[in-house]
Amino acid sequence: MDAAFDHSRPGPARAGLDRLRLMWRRGRVRRFRAVGLLCLLASLLVVGVALVPAIFPITSLMVPLLLGSLVLNPRQLPWFVAWIVVLATTTLVLQQEVSTRIVAVAVIEALMVAIVLVTARRRSSLGVAGNTGESMFVDLRDRLLNQGGIPSLPPGWLVESALRSASGTPFAGDFLVATVLDDDTRLEVVVVDVSGKGDAAGTRALLLSGAFGGMLGSLAPQDFLRAANDYLMRQGWEEGFATAVHLSLDLRTGRFAVCSAGHPPAVQRHSGSGRWAVLPSAGPVLGLVDEAEFEVAEGVLGPGDAVILYTDGMVERPRRDIEMGLDRMLGQAETLLRGSFVGSAERLVSSLGSPDDDRAMVVVHRR
């Protein structure tokens, strides 16, 4: 049979279509789809500027340039910006006269190109497009907040927590991690204050929250702060220290143990007398001393009793001694927590501390 009439062989058009489908499955076409569409959009805008200048201004190219800075990866963006520069130069050449307005537009377009390139260079260390990098940070932020979520407890127990950032964002140098172990019979809570505050300390807080969360569920309570200190010592950060207070509570008997590492002391409320007592636990700041030892304060939470863990942002203010801040916090707690502990941490954090400092608090109450 003549090869010209051999229908078993695909024609050139069919072979090209199959090749395109194979490339699509492998992701080659899909990888360049965004940059291709943006280049097409920019080219159509140049045509519009040339044919209908009354509808398409010469600044129209700034739209695909902005879109490209948001969706293109660091490898594609410089080439796309170069294409925009070529098209922008073309639109300027097509102008009938070079007026002061045209020169101003050219300067603005050059500034926009420079801003996009500088921003892309800063993002290139992350290796992803702009919106992808932001979504990654949002995911990390959500994971940090989930780490600080209080798990469900058996009947008779209430735990409230609250966190405020100095920058007003969910990224803070203060964080907390909590878990329930041993078949819902033991509550482990740690409140940590990382050096720095706000967004500047948020990255270290993200790293430490994951590390401390893994330690909290796998180590004996008496070993947690020592392991946390060893972990920070290995990091070698210039400002890598942190303070922490750790509570281990038996949910059957109410017996608890509190360890502190350079952190403001936990306080306990005795329902019988209505008085607050400072729990005397002490130890060095995490990340500064090798093989540190930490003092343990033990006690029992009876019905109606409560324990409060907090960071120094709750009791420190400029030109005020920390002891005065602690007295003020306990006085405010006596007023706000009278009658109901529901929402207690939020009420205390909202009414105490400095808005220029990170603040975190956990209230554990036995009903």
Side-chain angles (χ1 to χ4, degrees):
M1 182 181 293
D2 192 349
F5 299 94
D6 187 0
H7 296 287
S8 62
R9 295 183 181 181
R14 177 71 178 275
L17 184 60
D18 291 341
R19 193 179 302 111
L20 183 62
R21 288 175 179 172
L22 180 60
M23 291 174 64
W24 179 270
R25 292 193 192 101
R26 292 178 178 177
R28 295 178 183 176
V29 175
R30 192 179 309 173
R31 190 190 317 164
F32 297 100
R33 178 178 55 182
V35 66
L37 292 176
L38 287 173
C39 288
L40 178 61
L41 173 62
S43 302
L44 292 176
L45 288 174
V46 171
V47 174
V49 171
L51 299 179
V52 196
I55 298 178
F56 295 94
I58 59 177
T59 55
S60 300
L61 287 176
M62 297 301 99
V63 175
L65 178 65
L66 176 61
L67 293 175
S69 68
L70 293 176
V71 303
L72 298 182
N73 63 52
R75 291 184 177 180
Q76 296 173 343
L77 185 57
W79 296 102
F80 177 70
V81 171
W83 176 244
I84 291 293
V85 171
V86 171
L87 294 181
T89 304
T90 303
T91 59
L92 294 175
V93 171
L94 291 174
Q95 302 303 309
Q96 296 180 354
E97 59 177 341
V98 180
S99 62
T100 305
R101 175 176 172 272
I102 298 300
V103 173
V105 168
V107 172
I108 292 174
E109 289 180 344
L111 287 175
M112 289 292 295
V113 167
I115 292 172
V116 169
L117 288 176
V118 170
T119 305
R121 185 172 182 179
R122 294 183 60 185
R123 289 173 175 169
S124 62
S125 60
L126 190 60
V128 296
N131 60 341
T132 306
E134 292 169 0
S135 64
M136 290 172 63
F137 276 109
V138 170
D139 181 63
L140 287 173
R141 178 204 64 186
D142 294 340
R143 290 178 184 273
L144 174 61
L145 294 178
N146 290 335
Q147 285 267 24
I150 303 297
S152 58
L153 299 179
W157 291 98
L158 173 68
V159 180
E160 298 276 345
S161 65
L163 176 66
R164 294 286 188 278
S165 170
S167 59
T169 69
F171 292 102
D174 294 356
F175 68 91
L176 62 99
V177 181
T179 186
V180 176
L181 303 172
D182 299 339
D183 297 329
D184 297 337
T185 61
R186 181 160 59 94
L187 172 68
E188 299 281 337
V189 180
V190 59
V191 178
V192 183
D193 183 359
V194 179
S195 57
K197 60 184 178 181
D199 296 340
T203 53
R204 291 194 298 274
L206 284 169
L207 176 61
L208 292 182
S209 66
F212 287 6
M215 296 178 192
L216 198 63
S218 59
L219 296 174
Q222 62 272 17
D223 296 330
F224 172 76
L225 285 183
R226 287 196 290 269
N229 182 67
D230 293 341
Y231 178 81
L232 274 169
M233 292 295 296
R234 292 195 300 269
Q235 302 310 306
W237 293 336
E238 292 183 0
E239 296 183 2
F241 60 89
T243 68
V245 59
H246 171 224
L247 169 70
S248 178
L249 172 65
D250 190 324
L251 298 173
R252 297 166 300 180
T253 64
R255 296 194 63 84
F256 68 85
V258 173
C259 295
S260 178
H263 202 85
V267 293
Q268 179 183 6
R269 181 183 185 273
H270 299 279
S271 61
S273 61
R275 295 181 178 275
W276 293 87
V278 175
L279 298 172
S281 60
V285 174
L286 298 176
L288 295 183
V289 180
D290 279 321
E291 299 181 359
E293 295 295 331
F294 303 94
E295 182 181 344
V296 180
E298 297 182 340
V300 178
L301 281 181
D305 291 356
V307 167
I308 293 182
L309 313 176
Y310 56 95
T311 57
D312 57 7
M314 294 295 301
V315 294
E316 283 186 351
R317 278 193 175 183
R319 299 180 300 276
R320 187 179 72 182
D321 187 80
I322 190 171
E323 296 295 333
M324 295 178 59
L326 180 58
D327 291 340
R328 183 173 182 270
M329 186 189 74
L330 296 181
Q332 194 77 356
E334 185 61 32
T335 301
L336 294 178
L337 305 186
R338 186 174 299 165
S340 175
F341 281 79
V342 177
S344 55
E346 288 286 349
R347 296 200 300 270
L348 284 170
V349 169
S350 298
S351 61
L352 292 169
S354 171
D356 298 325
D357 202 356
D358 298 328
R359 292 162 287 164
M361 173 172 283
V362 176
V363 179
V364 182
H365 172 58
R366 188 172 189 179
R367 302 177 188 272

